[in-house]
Amino acid sequence: MTNLLPELQVVGERFRKNLSEEPTWRSLIAGTIPLGKYLSVLKTFRDYQYVTPPYLRDSVDRLGKLAEDKEFRLWLPQYQTLIDRYREHADEEEHPEPHWKWAMKDMAALDGWDYIMDIRPSPPVQAYISWYRHVSKTMPWATVGVAHPLEYISAGHSEEAAGNLIRNSGILNIENAVRSLQGHSVDTEHIGEYEYLKTITNEKVASDILATAELVARLFVSYPQHFGPPRNILEL
C-alpha cells in the first residue's frame, strides 16, 4: 500500500453504492422516508455523534502519550498532524453547539422525542461505539478511519437528502427537522483536509486506518436493519 488516500476513496465509493441500494437510506436520500424511520435515523445520528468528541479527545491524549517515546515518533512521524486534526475535529463537533443536539432538536420538531429516546442504541450502533472506544485507546492513529467514510457520505448526500425531505416527504414541520443533515453538508469542505494521508507509508498504520473505515461503512449501512420504535410510529 503506497498511497492510503485512493484506498479510502475506494471504500467511500463502495460505501456510497451500498447506501444507495439499502431501502431505508435510499428513501432518506430521495426524501420519501416515512416519519417513523426518519425518527430512527435521527436517533441513530444522535447515538453515534454523542461519542465523537470524547473519543477524538481520547485519541489526542493517547497519541500524545505514545509520542513521548522517540521510537514511536520515528514509527509514525505524522503523529502531530493527527493530533492537530483530531483536536480540530473535536472542536468542530462541539461548536457552535454539539452536533448530536441537532438530531435532538430535529426529533423535538417532529414530536418524536417520547417515542424514540428511551430506545437503546441498536446492535450495529453499539458495535460502532465499542470499536471507536477501542481504537481511541489502543490504536489512535486509526481514528481517522472512523471519520473519513462518514464525512465522505455526508459530503455526497446530506444537503441532497435535506432538500428532498423538504420537497417530497410531506412530513409535518419537516423544514424545521433537517438541522442534522444541513449541518453536516459542510463536510464537503472537510474531504480536502485528508491530503496529509498521502504521506503515511507505515503499512501497519495504513492497514488499521483502512480496516476501520471499512468496518464503519459496513456498520452504517446495516443500521436500518435494527430500527424498531413503536409500531404505530413506524407506520406513520
mmCIF file of all heavy atoms in Angstrom, residues 85-130:
data_model
loop_
_atom_site.group_PDB
_atom_site.id
_atom_site.type_symbol
_atom_site.label_atom_id
_atom_site.label_comp_id
_atom_site.label_asym_id
_atom_site.label_seq_id
_atom_site.Cartn_x
_atom_site.Cartn_y
_atom_site.Cartn_z
ATOM 1 N N ARG A 85 -5.346 17.430 13.849
ATOM 2 C CA ARG A 85 -6.602 17.227 13.113
ATOM 3 C C ARG A 85 -7.701 16.704 14.042
ATOM 4 O O ARG A 85 -8.850 17.145 13.964
ATOM 5 C CB ARG A 85 -6.387 16.254 11.955
ATOM 6 C CG ARG A 85 -7.636 15.999 11.129
ATOM 7 C CD ARG A 85 -8.131 17.262 10.428
ATOM 8 N NE ARG A 85 -9.458 17.072 9.849
ATOM 9 C CZ ARG A 85 -10.567 17.639 10.300
ATOM 10 N NH1 ARG A 85 -10.515 18.462 11.341
ATOM 11 N NH2 ARG A 85 -11.718 17.424 9.722
ATOM 12 N N TYR A 86 -7.363 15.772 14.930
ATOM 13 C CA TYR A 86 -8.366 15.241 15.857
ATOM 14 C C TYR A 86 -8.880 16.336 16.791
ATOM 15 O O TYR A 86 -10.079 16.427 17.072
ATOM 16 C CB TYR A 86 -7.786 14.111 16.705
ATOM 17 C CG TYR A 86 -7.407 12.857 15.952
ATOM 18 C CD1 TYR A 86 -6.669 11.860 16.585
ATOM 19 C CD2 TYR A 86 -7.776 12.647 14.619
ATOM 20 C CE1 TYR A 86 -6.314 10.694 15.925
ATOM 21 C CE2 TYR A 86 -7.420 11.494 13.952
ATOM 22 C CZ TYR A 86 -6.684 10.512 14.605
ATOM 23 O OH TYR A 86 -6.324 9.365 13.958
ATOM 24 N N ARG A 87 -7.963 17.159 17.275
ATOM 25 C CA ARG A 87 -8.364 18.247 18.174
ATOM 26 C C ARG A 87 -9.285 19.229 17.442
ATOM 27 O O ARG A 87 -10.313 19.669 17.993
ATOM 28 C CB ARG A 87 -7.126 18.957 18.708
ATOM 29 C CG ARG A 87 -7.423 19.996 19.765
ATOM 30 C CD ARG A 87 -6.158 20.623 20.298
ATOM 31 N NE ARG A 87 -5.405 19.700 21.158
ATOM 32 C CZ ARG A 87 -4.144 19.334 20.947
ATOM 33 N NH1 ARG A 87 -3.479 19.785 19.898
ATOM 34 N NH2 ARG A 87 -3.537 18.517 21.785
ATOM 35 N N GLU A 88 -8.935 19.564 16.223
ATOM 36 C CA GLU A 88 -9.763 20.464 15.423
ATOM 37 C C GLU A 88 -11.128 19.852 15.151
ATOM 38 O O GLU A 88 -12.165 20.535 15.243
ATOM 39 C CB GLU A 88 -9.045 20.754 14.104
ATOM 40 C CG GLU A 88 -9.793 21.680 13.162
ATOM 41 C CD GLU A 88 -9.049 21.870 11.849
ATOM 42 O OE1 GLU A 88 -7.810 21.731 11.828
ATOM 43 O OE2 GLU A 88 -9.715 22.151 10.836
ATOM 44 N N HIS A 89 -11.151 18.564 14.838
ATOM 45 C CA HIS A 89 -12.409 17.876 14.562
ATOM 46 C C HIS A 89 -13.297 17.856 15.809
ATOM 47 O O HIS A 89 -14.511 18.098 15.729
ATOM 48 C CB HIS A 89 -12.118 16.451 14.087
ATOM 49 C CG HIS A 89 -13.310 15.709 13.580
ATOM 50 N ND1 HIS A 89 -13.242 14.436 13.064
ATOM 51 C CD2 HIS A 89 -14.624 16.043 13.503
ATOM 52 C CE1 HIS A 89 -14.435 14.027 12.712
ATOM 53 N NE2 HIS A 89 -15.298 14.987 12.965
ATOM 54 N N ALA A 90 -12.706 17.581 16.974
ATOM 55 C CA ALA A 90 -13.487 17.578 18.213
ATOM 56 C C ALA A 90 -14.094 18.955 18.479
ATOM 57 O O ALA A 90 -15.260 19.068 18.887
ATOM 58 C CB ALA A 90 -12.600 17.152 19.386
ATOM 59 N N ASP A 91 -13.309 20.001 18.253
ATOM 60 C CA ASP A 91 -13.822 21.363 18.445
ATOM 61 C C ASP A 91 -14.978 21.653 17.486
ATOM 62 O O ASP A 91 -15.985 22.259 17.866
ATOM 63 C CB ASP A 91 -12.704 22.381 18.232
ATOM 64 C CG ASP A 91 -11.678 22.370 19.354
ATOM 65 O OD1 ASP A 91 -11.980 21.828 20.429
ATOM 66 O OD2 ASP A 91 -10.564 22.907 19.142
ATOM 67 N N GLU A 92 -14.841 21.207 16.241
ATOM 68 C CA GLU A 92 -15.901 21.411 15.249
ATOM 69 C C GLU A 92 -17.182 20.693 15.658
ATOM 70 O O GLU A 92 -18.291 21.204 15.444
ATOM 71 C CB GLU A 92 -15.449 20.902 13.880
ATOM 72 C CG GLU A 92 -14.373 21.745 13.215
ATOM 73 C CD GLU A 92 -13.811 21.075 11.964
ATOM 74 O OE1 GLU A 92 -14.151 19.896 11.720
ATOM 75 O OE2 GLU A 92 -13.024 21.720 11.258
ATOM 76 N N GLU A 93 -17.034 19.507 16.242
ATOM 77 C CA GLU A 93 -18.198 18.716 16.645
ATOM 78 C C GLU A 93 -18.958 19.355 17.806
ATOM 79 O O GLU A 93 -20.126 19.025 18.032
ATOM 80 C CB GLU A 93 -17.767 17.303 17.035
ATOM 81 C CG GLU A 93 -17.356 16.425 15.872
ATOM 82 C CD GLU A 93 -18.537 15.969 15.032
ATOM 83 O OE1 GLU A 93 -19.614 15.717 15.604
ATOM 84 O OE2 GLU A 93 -18.381 15.877 13.801
ATOM 85 N N GLU A 94 -18.321 20.260 18.527
ATOM 86 C CA GLU A 94 -18.944 20.851 19.720
ATOM 87 C C GLU A 94 -19.329 22.309 19.553
ATOM 88 O O GLU A 94 -19.954 22.872 20.458
ATOM 89 C CB GLU A 94 -17.991 20.706 20.906
ATOM 90 C CG GLU A 94 -17.773 19.255 21.317
ATOM 91 C CD GLU A 94 -16.836 19.101 22.505
ATOM 92 O OE1 GLU A 94 -15.769 19.749 22.510
ATOM 93 O OE2 GLU A 94 -17.183 18.342 23.411
ATOM 94 N N HIS A 95 -18.986 22.921 18.431
ATOM 95 C CA HIS A 95 -19.270 24.341 18.235
ATOM 96 C C HIS A 95 -19.938 24.575 16.881
ATOM 97 O O HIS A 95 -19.588 23.913 15.904
ATOM 98 C CB HIS A 95 -17.971 25.154 18.336
ATOM 99 C CG HIS A 95 -17.318 25.085 19.681
ATOM 100 N ND1 HIS A 95 -16.348 24.159 19.998
ATOM 101 C CD2 HIS A 95 -17.521 25.825 20.813
ATOM 102 C CE1 HIS A 95 -15.969 24.325 21.251
ATOM 103 N NE2 HIS A 95 -16.662 25.320 21.761
ATOM 104 N N PRO A 96 -20.883 25.515 16.819
ATOM 105 C CA PRO A 96 -21.326 26.404 17.907
ATOM 106 C C PRO A 96 -22.138 25.690 18.985
ATOM 107 O O PRO A 96 -22.408 26.257 20.037
ATOM 108 C CB PRO A 96 -22.185 27.438 17.182
ATOM 109 C CG PRO A 96 -22.689 26.717 15.979
ATOM 110 C CD PRO A 96 -21.578 25.789 15.558
ATOM 111 N N GLU A 97 -22.561 24.437 18.700
ATOM 112 C CA GLU A 97 -23.184 23.604 19.720
ATOM 113 C C GLU A 97 -22.887 22.157 19.356
ATOM 114 O O GLU A 97 -22.557 21.856 18.207
ATOM 115 C CB GLU A 97 -24.697 23.848 19.797
ATOM 116 C CG GLU A 97 -25.472 23.387 18.571
ATOM 117 C CD GLU A 97 -26.975 23.582 18.733
ATOM 118 O OE1 GLU A 97 -27.438 23.747 19.873
ATOM 119 O OE2 GLU A 97 -27.674 23.562 17.706
ATOM 120 N N PRO A 98 -22.969 21.226 20.313
ATOM 121 C CA PRO A 98 -22.697 19.826 20.000
ATOM 122 C C PRO A 98 -23.583 19.331 18.847
ATOM 123 O O PRO A 98 -24.791 19.566 18.849
ATOM 124 C CB PRO A 98 -23.031 19.107 21.313
ATOM 125 C CG PRO A 98 -22.798 20.139 22.366
ATOM 126 C CD PRO A 98 -23.237 21.437 21.753
ATOM 127 N N HIS A 99 -22.969 18.655 17.895
ATOM 128 C CA HIS A 99 -23.710 18.234 16.708
ATOM 129 C C HIS A 99 -24.817 17.236 17.033
ATOM 130 O O HIS A 99 -25.820 17.177 16.325
ATOM 131 C CB HIS A 99 -22.746 17.650 15.673
ATOM 132 C CG HIS A 99 -21.884 18.682 15.044
ATOM 133 N ND1 HIS A 99 -21.049 18.421 13.980
ATOM 134 C CD2 HIS A 99 -21.727 20.006 15.312
ATOM 135 C CE1 HIS A 99 -20.408 19.520 13.632
ATOM 136 N NE2 HIS A 99 -20.798 20.493 14.435
ATOM 137 N N TRP A 100 -24.639 16.439 18.096
ATOM 138 C CA TRP A 100 -25.691 15.496 18.445
ATOM 139 C C TRP A 100 -26.977 16.212 18.856
ATOM 140 O O TRP A 100 -28.076 15.648 18.753
ATOM 141 C CB TRP A 100 -25.236 14.534 19.545
ATOM 142 C CG TRP A 100 -24.776 15.157 20.819
ATOM 143 C CD1 TRP A 100 -23.504 15.513 21.153
ATOM 144 C CD2 TRP A 100 -25.586 15.508 21.947
ATOM 145 N NE1 TRP A 100 -23.460 16.063 22.411
ATOM 146 C CE2 TRP A 100 -24.719 16.062 22.935
ATOM 147 C CE3 TRP A 100 -26.950 15.396 22.240
ATOM 148 C CZ2 TRP A 100 -25.182 16.503 24.168
ATOM 149 C CZ3 TRP A 100 -27.414 15.844 23.472
ATOM 150 C CH2 TRP A 100 -26.541 16.380 24.416
ATOM 151 N N LYS A 101 -26.844 17.462 19.282
ATOM 152 C CA LYS A 101 -28.040 18.223 19.652
ATOM 153 C C LYS A 101 -28.879 18.604 18.432
ATOM 154 O O LYS A 101 -30.075 18.847 18.563
ATOM 155 C CB LYS A 101 -27.658 19.473 20.441
ATOM 156 C CG LYS A 101 -27.213 19.177 21.864
ATOM 157 C CD LYS A 101 -27.081 20.437 22.698
ATOM 158 C CE LYS A 101 -26.745 20.110 24.141
ATOM 159 N NZ LYS A 101 -26.639 21.325 24.983
ATOM 160 N N TRP A 102 -28.242 18.672 17.261
ATOM 161 C CA TRP A 102 -29.027 18.936 16.048
ATOM 162 C C TRP A 102 -30.066 17.835 15.862
ATOM 163 O O TRP A 102 -31.235 18.116 15.559
ATOM 164 C CB TRP A 102 -28.115 18.987 14.819
ATOM 165 C CG TRP A 102 -27.148 20.125 14.797
ATOM 166 C CD1 TRP A 102 -27.193 21.262 15.535
ATOM 167 C CD2 TRP A 102 -25.974 20.233 13.980
ATOM 168 N NE1 TRP A 102 -26.136 22.076 15.229
ATOM 169 C CE2 TRP A 102 -25.372 21.475 14.286
ATOM 170 C CE3 TRP A 102 -25.381 19.409 13.022
ATOM 171 C CZ2 TRP A 102 -24.200 21.901 13.659
ATOM 172 C CZ3 TRP A 102 -24.207 19.832 12.398
ATOM 173 C CH2 TRP A 102 -23.629 21.061 12.713
ATOM 174 N N ALA A 103 -29.641 16.588 16.025
ATOM 175 C CA ALA A 103 -30.579 15.472 15.870
ATOM 176 C C ALA A 103 -31.666 15.522 16.946
ATOM 177 O O ALA A 103 -32.836 15.223 16.677
ATOM 178 C CB ALA A 103 -29.833 14.143 15.934
ATOM 179 N N MET A 104 -31.290 15.916 18.158
ATOM 180 C CA MET A 104 -32.276 16.026 19.238
ATOM 181 C C MET A 104 -33.328 17.080 18.895
ATOM 182 O O MET A 104 -34.530 16.880 19.095
ATOM 183 C CB MET A 104 -31.579 16.393 20.540
ATOM 184 C CG MET A 104 -30.541 15.392 21.002
ATOM 185 S SD MET A 104 -31.250 14.005 21.888
ATOM 186 C CE MET A 104 -31.482 14.721 23.508
ATOM 187 N N LYS A 105 -32.881 18.211 18.368
ATOM 188 C CA LYS A 105 -33.819 19.282 18.008
ATOM 189 C C LYS A 105 -34.703 18.867 16.840
ATOM 190 O O LYS A 105 -35.882 19.226 16.782
ATOM 191 C CB LYS A 105 -33.047 20.556 17.671
ATOM 192 C CG LYS A 105 -32.401 21.216 18.886
ATOM 193 C CD LYS A 105 -31.652 22.482 18.511
ATOM 194 C CE LYS A 105 -31.070 23.160 19.744
ATOM 195 N NZ LYS A 105 -30.323 24.402 19.398
ATOM 196 N N ASP A 106 -34.132 18.103 15.922
ATOM 197 C CA ASP A 106 -34.941 17.596 14.803
ATOM 198 C C ASP A 106 -36.033 16.664 15.308
ATOM 199 O O ASP A 106 -37.194 16.746 14.871
ATOM 200 C CB ASP A 106 -34.046 16.853 13.798
ATOM 201 C CG ASP A 106 -33.146 17.783 13.008
ATOM 202 O OD1 ASP A 106 -33.434 19.001 12.960
ATOM 203 O OD2 ASP A 106 -32.164 17.295 12.421
ATOM 204 N N MET A 107 -35.688 15.785 16.235
ATOM 205 C CA MET A 107 -36.701 14.889 16.806
ATOM 206 C C MET A 107 -37.775 15.680 17.542
ATOM 207 O O MET A 107 -38.975 15.378 17.433
ATOM 208 C CB MET A 107 -36.045 13.881 17.757
ATOM 209 C CG MET A 107 -35.272 12.779 17.053
ATOM 210 S SD MET A 107 -34.688 11.494 18.190
ATOM 211 C CE MET A 107 -33.234 12.300 18.882
ATOM 212 N N ALA A 108 -37.358 16.693 18.284
ATOM 213 C CA ALA A 108 -38.325 17.507 19.021
ATOM 214 C C ALA A 108 -39.265 18.240 18.076
ATOM 215 O O ALA A 108 -40.464 18.366 18.345
ATOM 216 C CB ALA A 108 -37.590 18.503 19.912
ATOM 217 N N ALA A 109 -38.737 18.701 16.949
ATOM 218 C CA ALA A 109 -39.575 19.414 15.968
ATOM 219 C C ALA A 109 -40.646 18.507 15.377
ATOM 220 O O ALA A 109 -41.682 18.988 14.910
ATOM 221 C CB ALA A 109 -38.697 19.977 14.850
ATOM 222 N N LEU A 110 -40.400 17.204 15.416
ATOM 223 C CA LEU A 110 -41.361 16.237 14.871
ATOM 224 C C LEU A 110 -42.179 15.561 15.963
ATOM 225 O O LEU A 110 -42.893 14.591 15.693
ATOM 226 C CB LEU A 110 -40.604 15.172 14.064
ATOM 227 C CG LEU A 110 -39.821 15.694 12.863
ATOM 228 C CD1 LEU A 110 -38.993 14.594 12.233
ATOM 229 C CD2 LEU A 110 -40.751 16.315 11.833
ATOM 230 N N ASP A 111 -42.085 16.077 17.177
ATOM 231 C CA ASP A 111 -42.797 15.497 18.322
ATOM 232 C C ASP A 111 -42.483 14.015 18.482
ATOM 233 O O ASP A 111 -43.363 13.223 18.877
ATOM 234 C CB ASP A 111 -44.316 15.699 18.182
ATOM 235 C CG ASP A 111 -44.717 17.161 18.288
ATOM 236 O OD1 ASP A 111 -44.056 17.896 19.046
ATOM 237 O OD2 ASP A 111 -45.674 17.569 17.610
ATOM 238 N N GLY A 112 -41.242 13.640 18.187
ATOM 239 C CA GLY A 112 -40.890 12.230 18.248
ATOM 240 C C GLY A 112 -40.086 11.824 19.457
ATOM 241 O O GLY A 112 -39.688 10.668 19.598
ATOM 242 N N TRP A 113 -39.840 12.756 20.338
ATOM 243 C CA TRP A 113 -38.964 12.527 21.480
ATOM 244 C C TRP A 113 -39.411 11.334 22.322
ATOM 245 O O TRP A 113 -38.634 10.432 22.622
ATOM 246 C CB TRP A 113 -38.942 13.790 22.323
ATOM 247 C CG TRP A 113 -37.949 13.811 23.425
ATOM 248 C CD1 TRP A 113 -38.024 13.163 24.616
ATOM 249 C CD2 TRP A 113 -36.718 14.545 23.432
ATOM 250 N NE1 TRP A 113 -36.917 13.442 25.376
ATOM 251 C CE2 TRP A 113 -36.099 14.292 24.669
ATOM 252 C CE3 TRP A 113 -36.085 15.391 22.531
ATOM 253 C CZ2 TRP A 113 -34.885 14.855 25.025
ATOM 254 C CZ3 TRP A 113 -34.872 15.947 22.887
ATOM 255 C CH2 TRP A 113 -34.281 15.677 24.105
ATOM 256 N N ASP A 114 -40.683 11.301 22.727
ATOM 257 C CA ASP A 114 -41.164 10.270 23.653
ATOM 258 C C ASP A 114 -41.134 8.878 23.040
ATOM 259 O O ASP A 114 -41.059 7.874 23.754
ATOM 260 C CB ASP A 114 -42.597 10.580 24.107
ATOM 261 C CG ASP A 114 -42.662 11.823 24.979
ATOM 262 O OD1 ASP A 114 -41.618 12.180 25.563
ATOM 263 O OD2 ASP A 114 -43.744 12.432 25.073
ATOM 264 N N TYR A 115 -41.211 8.810 21.700
ATOM 265 C CA TYR A 115 -41.247 7.516 21.042
ATOM 266 C C TYR A 115 -39.857 6.934 20.814
ATOM 267 O O TYR A 115 -39.696 5.740 20.598
ATOM 268 C CB TYR A 115 -41.936 7.639 19.677
ATOM 269 C CG TYR A 115 -43.380 8.059 19.760
ATOM 270 C CD1 TYR A 115 -43.748 9.379 19.569
ATOM 271 C CD2 TYR A 115 -44.374 7.132 20.030
ATOM 272 C CE1 TYR A 115 -45.068 9.777 19.649
ATOM 273 C CE2 TYR A 115 -45.699 7.510 20.112
ATOM 274 C CZ TYR A 115 -46.044 8.836 19.919
ATOM 275 O OH TYR A 115 -47.352 9.223 20.001
ATOM 276 N N ILE A 116 -38.846 7.794 20.856
ATOM 277 C CA ILE A 116 -37.525 7.396 20.392
ATOM 278 C C ILE A 116 -36.472 7.343 21.497
ATOM 279 O O ILE A 116 -35.665 6.421 21.567
ATOM 280 C CB ILE A 116 -37.048 8.370 19.280
ATOM 281 C CG1 ILE A 116 -37.919 8.194 18.034
ATOM 282 C CG2 ILE A 116 -35.590 8.155 18.937
ATOM 283 C CD1 ILE A 116 -37.796 6.854 17.356
ATOM 284 N N MET A 117 -36.457 8.314 22.383
ATOM 285 C CA MET A 117 -35.298 8.491 23.258
ATOM 286 C C MET A 117 -35.112 7.378 24.281
ATOM 287 O O MET A 117 -34.027 7.202 24.817
ATOM 288 C CB MET A 117 -35.365 9.838 23.968
ATOM 289 C CG MET A 117 -34.990 11.014 23.072
ATOM 290 S SD MET A 117 -33.431 10.752 22.174
ATOM 291 C CE MET A 117 -32.266 10.623 23.524
ATOM 292 N N ASP A 118 -36.137 6.584 24.569
ATOM 293 C CA ASP A 118 -35.962 5.502 25.546
ATOM 294 C C ASP A 118 -35.506 4.207 24.889
ATOM 295 O O ASP A 118 -35.365 3.180 25.559
ATOM 296 C CB ASP A 118 -37.261 5.280 26.325
ATOM 297 C CG ASP A 118 -38.424 4.864 25.437
ATOM 298 O OD1 ASP A 118 -38.320 5.075 24.211
ATOM 299 O OD2 ASP A 118 -39.426 4.345 25.967
ATOM 300 N N ILE A 119 -35.274 4.237 23.578
ATOM 301 C CA ILE A 119 -34.832 3.044 22.863
ATOM 302 C C ILE A 119 -33.308 2.940 22.936
ATOM 303 O O ILE A 119 -32.597 3.913 22.664
ATOM 304 C CB ILE A 119 -35.297 3.087 21.392
ATOM 305 C CG1 ILE A 119 -36.826 3.103 21.332
ATOM 306 C CG2 ILE A 119 -34.743 1.917 20.605
ATOM 307 C CD1 ILE A 119 -37.365 3.348 19.947
ATOM 308 N N ARG A 120 -32.821 1.766 23.301
ATOM 309 C CA ARG A 120 -31.380 1.555 23.377
ATOM 310 C C ARG A 120 -30.745 1.657 21.992
ATOM 311 O O ARG A 120 -31.387 1.344 20.990
ATOM 312 C CB ARG A 120 -31.080 0.166 23.953
ATOM 313 C CG ARG A 120 -31.390 0.029 25.430
ATOM 314 C CD ARG A 120 -31.266 -1.413 25.875
ATOM 315 N NE ARG A 120 -29.950 -1.973 25.535
ATOM 316 C CZ ARG A 120 -28.871 -1.831 26.286
ATOM 317 N NH1 ARG A 120 -28.935 -1.138 27.418
ATOM 318 N NH2 ARG A 120 -27.726 -2.367 25.935
ATOM 319 N N PRO A 121 -29.484 2.076 21.926
ATOM 320 C CA PRO A 121 -28.789 2.047 20.640
ATOM 321 C C PRO A 121 -28.839 0.648 20.038
ATOM 322 O O PRO A 121 -28.730 -0.350 20.752
ATOM 323 C CB PRO A 121 -27.355 2.449 21.006
ATOM 324 C CG PRO A 121 -27.496 3.255 22.257
ATOM 325 C CD PRO A 121 -28.634 2.625 23.003
ATOM 326 N N SER A 122 -29.019 0.572 18.735
ATOM 327 C CA SER A 122 -29.128 -0.710 18.057
ATOM 328 C C SER A 122 -27.794 -1.463 18.114
ATOM 329 O O SER A 122 -26.737 -0.862 18.373
ATOM 330 C CB SER A 122 -29.534 -0.489 16.598
ATOM 331 O OG SER A 122 -28.483 0.153 15.891
ATOM 332 N N PRO A 123 -27.794 -2.773 17.866
ATOM 333 C CA PRO A 123 -26.542 -3.542 17.894
ATOM 334 C C PRO A 123 -25.422 -2.974 17.019
ATOM 335 O O PRO A 123 -24.283 -2.877 17.497
ATOM 336 C CB PRO A 123 -26.981 -4.936 17.441
ATOM 337 C CG PRO A 123 -28.394 -5.042 17.920
ATOM 338 C CD PRO A 123 -28.970 -3.663 17.712
ATOM 339 N N PRO A 124 -25.694 -2.572 15.767
ATOM 340 C CA PRO A 124 -24.574 -2.011 14.994
ATOM 341 C C PRO A 124 -24.075 -0.674 15.529
ATOM 342 O O PRO A 124 -22.885 -0.377 15.418
ATOM 343 C CB PRO A 124 -25.132 -1.877 13.573
ATOM 344 C CG PRO A 124 -26.599 -1.949 13.697
ATOM 345 C CD PRO A 124 -26.878 -2.774 14.908
ATOM 346 N N VAL A 125 -24.953 0.124 16.122
ATOM 347 C CA VAL A 125 -24.504 1.379 16.733
ATOM 348 C C VAL A 125 -23.659 1.069 17.965
ATOM 349 O O VAL A 125 -22.613 1.694 18.190
ATOM 350 C CB VAL A 125 -25.694 2.282 17.099
ATOM 351 C CG1 VAL A 125 -25.217 3.503 17.875
ATOM 352 C CG2 VAL A 125 -26.426 2.737 15.841
ATOM 353 N N GLN A 126 -24.085 0.086 18.746
ATOM 354 C CA GLN A 126 -23.283 -0.314 19.899
ATOM 355 C C GLN A 126 -21.923 -0.844 19.459
ATOM 356 O O GLN A 126 -20.898 -0.573 20.104
ATOM 357 C CB GLN A 126 -24.028 -1.375 20.713
ATOM 358 C CG GLN A 126 -25.273 -0.855 21.418
ATOM 359 C CD GLN A 126 -25.960 -1.927 22.227
ATOM 360 O OE1 GLN A 126 -25.335 -2.614 23.029
ATOM 361 N NE2 GLN A 126 -27.248 -2.100 22.022
ATOM 362 N N ALA A 127 -21.909 -1.598 18.355
ATOM 363 C CA ALA A 127 -20.643 -2.113 17.829
ATOM 364 C C ALA A 127 -19.743 -0.967 17.372
ATOM 365 O O ALA A 127 -18.528 -0.975 17.609
ATOM 366 C CB ALA A 127 -20.907 -3.078 16.678
ATOM 367 N N TYR A 128 -20.353 0.017 16.713
ATOM 368 C CA TYR A 128 -19.603 1.201 16.274
ATOM 369 C C TYR A 128 -18.979 1.915 17.477
ATOM 370 O O TYR A 128 -17.786 2.252 17.462
ATOM 371 C CB TYR A 128 -20.543 2.141 15.525
ATOM 372 C CG TYR A 128 -19.998 3.531 15.275
ATOM 373 C CD1 TYR A 128 -19.305 3.823 14.108
ATOM 374 C CD2 TYR A 128 -20.189 4.552 16.214
ATOM 375 C CE1 TYR A 128 -18.801 5.106 13.885
ATOM 376 C CE2 TYR A 128 -19.694 5.820 15.997
ATOM 377 C CZ TYR A 128 -19.006 6.096 14.827
ATOM 378 O OH TYR A 128 -18.506 7.370 14.619
ATOM 379 N N ILE A 129 -19.782 2.140 18.506
ATOM 380 C CA ILE A 129 -19.296 2.844 19.694
ATOM 381 C C ILE A 129 -18.169 2.054 20.371
ATOM 382 O O ILE A 129 -17.150 2.623 20.770
ATOM 383 C CB ILE A 129 -20.453 3.100 20.677
ATOM 384 C CG1 ILE A 129 -21.438 4.119 20.072
ATOM 385 C CG2 ILE A 129 -19.941 3.600 22.020
ATOM 386 C CD1 ILE A 129 -22.734 4.278 20.850
ATOM 387 N N SER A 130 -18.348 0.737 20.469
ATOM 388 C CA SER A 130 -17.325 -0.098 21.109
ATOM 389 C C SER A 130 -16.025 -0.077 20.312
ATOM 390 O O SER A 130 -14.929 0.011 20.891
ATOM 391 C CB SER A 130 -17.834 -1.542 21.241
ATOM 392 O OG SER A 130 -18.929 -1.609 22.122
#
